[in-house]
């Protein structure tokens, strides 16, 4: 199971996402673009490790919930990407922030609260 890679990669994503926002806020859009590229590579790690975790659910009773967890995770990634992009262009962000909060809450509740592959061994 790849829970450690999964958690490490999304924690890293939150950090990189914050860095992108801070750089864009302070007008350093070039720096923000570079960090955004690293963030996109990190999305692949999240998807890969999440996909691997999801694979382990195929055929068992919690498969539906695990698929829903994966969709919520993809939604969270999408919202982060949209906010990163729009923060560089000073476009309105409120709707995407609301979506990000809902998607992250869903992933955390389903990931930690409901599904059984705990963080602890
Ligand atoms: C920002 C995006 C994401 C966040 C914050 C997130 C968060 C989490 C958390 C907190 C866990 C529980 C780890 C544990 O119990 O130790 C988890 C597990 C999991 N994640 Fe994600 N995840 C994200 C993206 C994804 C994506 C994109 C997929 C699918 C492609 C996915 C699929 C899974 C699966 C199948 C598990 C196993 C559930 C379990 O048994 O606990 N996740 N994730």
């Amino acid at each position: 199971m790849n829970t450690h890679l999964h958690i490490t990669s999304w924690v890293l994503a939150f950090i990189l996402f914050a860095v992108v926002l801070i750089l864009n806020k302070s007008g350093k859009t070039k720096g923000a673009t570079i960090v955004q590229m690293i963030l996109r590579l990190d999305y692949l790690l999240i998807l890969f490790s999440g996909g691997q975790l999801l694979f382990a659910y195929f055929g068992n009773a919690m498969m539906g919930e695990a698929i829903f967890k994966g969709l919520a995770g993809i939604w969270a990634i999408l919202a982060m990407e949209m906010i990163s992009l729009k923060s560089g262009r000073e476009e309105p962000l409120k709707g995407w922030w609301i979506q990000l909060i809902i998607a992250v809450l869903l992933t955390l509740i389903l990931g930690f609260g409901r599904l059984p592959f705990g963080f602890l061994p």
Side-chain angles (χ1 to χ4, degrees):
M1 238 46 69
N2 235 328
T3 339
H4 282 103
L5 178 61
H6 192 59
I7 293 178
T8 309
S9 49
W10 62 253
V11 168
L12 180 65
F14 289 157
I15 295 169
L16 292 172
F17 174 62
V19 173
V20 171
L21 295 184
I22 291 166
L23 287 173
N24 271 332
K25 249 221 159 91
S26 49
K28 301 193 174 87
T29 46
K30 270 222 175 90
T33 309
I34 294 166
V35 180
Q36 233 178 311
M37 311 262 259
I38 304 169
L39 178 57
R40 291 195 184 118
L41 290 178
D42 187 50
Y43 293 154
L44 293 179
L45 276 184
I46 301 176
L47 283 166
F48 169 75
S49 57
Q52 216 169 26
L53 286 164
L54 185 58
F55 196 68
Y57 279 94
F58 273 48
N60 81 24
M62 296 196 84
M63 181 165 82
E65 216 167 329
I67 290 173
F68 199 73
K69 158 71 184 66
L71 291 175
I74 291 169
W75 187 20
I77 292 175
L78 181 72
M80 270 195 278
E81 174 63 15
M82 292 306 289
I83 294 170
S84 312
L85 274 179
K86 284 168 181 283
S87 75
R89 304 189 194 132
E90 293 173 18
E91 286 173 23
L93 292 172
K94 196 165 165 214
W96 283 106
W97 272 114
I98 294 169
Q99 290 189 52
L100 180 64
I101 290 165
I102 296 171
V104 169
L105 280 178
L106 274 176
T107 45
L108 291 179
I109 291 166
L110 285 168
F112 278 139
R114 290 282 310 164
L115 291 166
F117 295 160
F119 183 42
L120 300 170

